[in-house]
Structures are given as structure tokens and as C-alpha cells.
Amino acid sequence: MTDVSERRRQTEGDSAGRDSANIKVVARPQSPARSGPAARSPAPADLLPIELSFATATYEQLEVRLDPALKTLWYFMKPTEAPSYTPDLLRDLSALRTRIQKLFERPTDEPPLLYLVNGSKQPNIFNLGGDLGYFADHIRSGDRAGLRRYALDCVDLVYSSSQSLDLPIFLISLVQGDALGGGFEAALASDIIIAERKAKFGLPEILFNLFPGMGAYSFLSRRLDPTRATKMIMSGRIYTADELHEMGLVDMVVEDGRGEEGVREYILRNSRKHAIQRTMRDVRRRVNPITHQELIDVVDLWVEAAMALEDADLRKIDRLRGAQAKRIEASL
């Protein structure tokens, strides 16, 4: 996995760029390096204890903490701007995931982590999705290539999550507030969704004549079916955590304020089943796979639709962006 900035050095027409995306999309080989004289010599930084490996890392948009007893790494989005997938947040997420993947390259008999938990420090908001200001600016300026690069950076991270970073871990999304648009898509890409009862989920893109292009249809059509996936996307409806739990999209609903406690309870209850649950997950992926190329193809359709938006649609995006800003100010 390379930094998201690498994507920005690629040209739109460079087909090789699709395979050198900021998230590594090929299966990570099982480490021949863990035995024998050909083993990779760890760099000094790689020799730090796991606690120090993450304690010494700094991120502008994330808060990271480790629970060694549960072999769980928690990371919380802590945006300095809008609670959306801004280029800066994408960059921090890419750097964190690179660090996690490198951790698994260490010679060891036991996996250093079993669970990776993603949450948010923004009150009542998990993530509101794509960077609306970034969208509108690139559409108005006719910068198709820039918009596509941003969308591909989002898709690379979503795809990496959907494959558990090619590691023997489970990804848990802890949703304690609204997960809309790309925020909902990111949660759907994880293995497990645990939500507080107040959480809301939805795909509002239809309100400005667009569709969610970072994996929503791919994930929903497999977890539900194509008909219900289309209905959910076209309605723009907002769903409660309980409603999605009944549909099988949310795995566990806990009372407000008990999100982290609920995650720990889930891990304690299921850690002994980790191996068989991981095997069943791999069976599901084999039977009904989501490929990186599928997500890229959908992104290309999304870019075409976005670039065709009219002024009235862009004004709706501006109003939605303004409403988000007022909501954030009110929560401070």
C-alpha cells in the first residue's frame, strides 16, 4: 500500500495506475520470510514493541489507541475540517493501514492483531461521506481527472477494508452517529457493524441527481439483493440502526453511549471463534466476490454522472454543504 499522494502523480489515462493504487489490491503472500535465512531483516522501527509502534505515530485526522489484551487496534476519525472523507483524512487512513500491514510482516508465531475498530470522535456523526466542496469545485472547473483521482483514492480504501487489508483480522465499524453517503459505504465495507441506537444511515446522493459511487450498490446487492439495493439508493431515505439490524446490515445495536462497551463485549464473546468466523468470511468472499476492478468501473460511471450535473444540482450540493457546516458548529 502506498500513500494516496501517489495516485495524484498518475495520469487519468495510465491504465497501470489502476494496479498501483494507494491500497495494495493483490493478495498479500503468506510470509515465506517468517523462517529460514532468506527472512527480511526488520528495520529498526519495525523492532519496536507493538505498543510503541503505534504510540510513536502521529496523525492529524485520527486518534489511535491499542488494546493489547484484546489484540484490538482502535482508530477514530477526528477531522479538522468537515467530517467527510477529505484528502487529508484519506492520507492519514492510508498511512495507518500501511503501518498495520507492515506490523504483520514481522516474524512472529501469533498475529499481532485480531480486530481493527473504526469510529469517530465527531459528536453524533460517524462520517458524512464525500467531500462535497471538493466535488463541486472540480465539477465547476471541469477537472474530470482530479475528481476521478479523488474517487479512486476513496475506492482503494473501501476495497482494502472489504478485504480486511489482506490480513487475518476483522474490521469493525463502530457507528455512534450519522453514517451518510460514503460514510455508510465505508461501514458496509467492514466485516461487522456495531451501532448505537441513535445512529442514522442513508444514501442522500439522489437528492442532487447523483448516486453513491464508492461501493454502495456492490455491497448492498450482495448483503440484500439487487432490487432492495436499488430501492435504498433511489429513495434517499434515512434509516435507523434498528431498521438496518432487522434487514441484516447492522450486526449489533447497543444503547446510546455504550458503543465502545458493546464492541468489547462482542470481541470477548467471539474471539474464540475468530478462526472459523474468518474461514466463513473467506468462503462468502469466494462465492460472491467484490473485485477492485468492479469498484473502479462503477467509479468511472459515477465520474461521468457527476460531471454532467447541472447548476441547479450544484446549488443543492452547496446548500447541503452549508447545512453540514451549521450542524458541526452547533455540536461544538
Side-chain angles (χ1 to χ4, degrees):
M1 186 172 83
T2 58
D3 192 270
V4 294
S5 59
E6 182 171 322
R7 171 74 69 186
R8 296 180 174 83
R9 294 195 292 271
Q10 300 171 357
T11 61
E12 184 178 11
D14 182 3
S15 61
R18 292 185 172 179
D19 294 324
S20 59
N22 59 323
I23 299 297
K24 192 166 185 175
V25 300
V26 297
R28 181 174 295 277
Q30 290 303 313
S31 162
R34 299 200 176 188
S35 62
R40 179 180 69 89
S41 297
D46 294 339
L47 295 175
L48 286 172
I50 182 173
E51 295 88 346
L52 293 179
S53 175
F54 289 100
T56 58
T58 57
Y59 305 95
E60 293 182 0
Q61 311 278 325
L62 298 174
E63 179 180 308
V64 180
R65 69 174 187 257
L66 179 71
D67 183 343
L70 294 180
K71 288 194 171 183
T72 299
L73 184 71
W74 302 69
Y75 69 98
F76 295 87
M77 295 175 283
K78 193 177 63 174
T80 57
E81 301 173 41
S84 303
Y85 286 104
T86 63
D88 287 341
L89 176 57
L90 291 173
R91 190 175 300 113
D92 271 4
L93 289 169
S94 179
L96 173 63
R97 295 182 181 206
T98 296
R99 181 174 293 273
I100 294 168
Q101 288 177 321
K102 285 185 178 297
L103 183 65
F104 276 78
E105 294 175 0
R106 297 182 179 190
T108 178
D109 294 329
E110 295 290 334
L113 296 172
L114 295 178
Y115 296 94
L116 180 63
V117 183
N118 175 28
S120 170
K121 284 297 180 181
Q122 182 73 40
N124 300 314
I125 296 174
F126 176 75
N127 192 284
L128 300 181
D131 187 333
L132 294 179
Y134 195 91
F135 288 177
D137 290 346
H138 280 69
I139 293 168
R140 285 190 169 106
S141 66
D143 187 359
R144 182 188 306 268
L147 185 62
R148 183 174 185 269
R149 284 193 297 270
Y150 169 80
L152 288 173
D153 286 340
C154 292
V155 158
D156 291 340
L157 283 161
V158 167
Y159 178 73
S160 177
S161 292
S162 75
Q163 303 303 304
S164 308
L165 284 64
D166 289 324
L167 298 173
I169 60 176
F170 278 99
L171 269 65
I172 299 176
S173 284
L174 169 58
V175 183
Q176 297 171 290
D178 291 357
L180 305 179
F184 188 13
E185 290 171 303
L188 287 169
S190 61
D191 298 302
I192 300 151
I193 300 177
I194 296 175
E196 293 188 357
R197 187 152 273 116
K198 66 182 176 184
K200 300 291 192 299
F201 301 80
L203 300 164
E205 288 85 349
I206 194 67
L207 299 178
F208 45 87
N209 286 322
L210 202 55
F211 69 95
M214 314 308 164
Y217 186 82
S218 295
F219 297 123
L220 289 172
S221 64
R222 287 165 172 84
R223 292 196 178 204
L224 300 174
D225 55 67
T227 299
R228 285 190 290 173
T230 300
K231 182 178 179 180
M232 184 176 287
I233 290 170
M234 295 300 294
S235 72
R237 182 186 160 192
I238 303 300
Y239 294 82
T240 67
D242 285 319
E243 287 176 314
L244 293 194
H245 183 255
E246 290 180 7
M247 296 168 65
L249 293 175
V250 168
D251 298 277
M252 180 177 170
V253 178
V254 299
E255 295 303 321
D256 296 343
R258 292 193 63 248
E260 291 189 35
E261 183 181 348
V263 170
R264 284 189 286 270
E265 289 175 357
Y266 178 91
I267 291 172
L268 287 169
R269 191 166 58 245
N270 289 278
S271 58
R272 290 182 179 275
K273 307 173 187 175
H274 191 274
I276 186 60
Q277 288 181 330
R278 199 172 70 241
T279 299
M280 289 306 301
R281 178 192 66 192
D282 294 343
V283 168
R284 184 182 71 246
R285 289 177 181 170
R286 175 64 182 85
V287 172
N288 207 355
I290 292 178
T291 68
H292 190 236
Q293 188 60 52
E294 174 184 328
L295 297 181
I296 290 175
D297 291 343
V298 172
V299 157
D300 286 336
L301 294 172
W302 180 87
V303 170
E304 291 304 312
M307 294 304 297
L309 291 179
E310 299 179 353
D311 287 342
D313 301 317
L314 293 174
R315 288 195 293 273
K316 290 178 183 177
I317 292 177
D318 292 338
R319 287 196 292 272
L320 183 56
R321 183 185 177 191
Q324 289 179 356
K326 290 180 180 178
R327 180 179 173 186
I328 295 164
E329 289 175 6
S331 69
L332 297 177

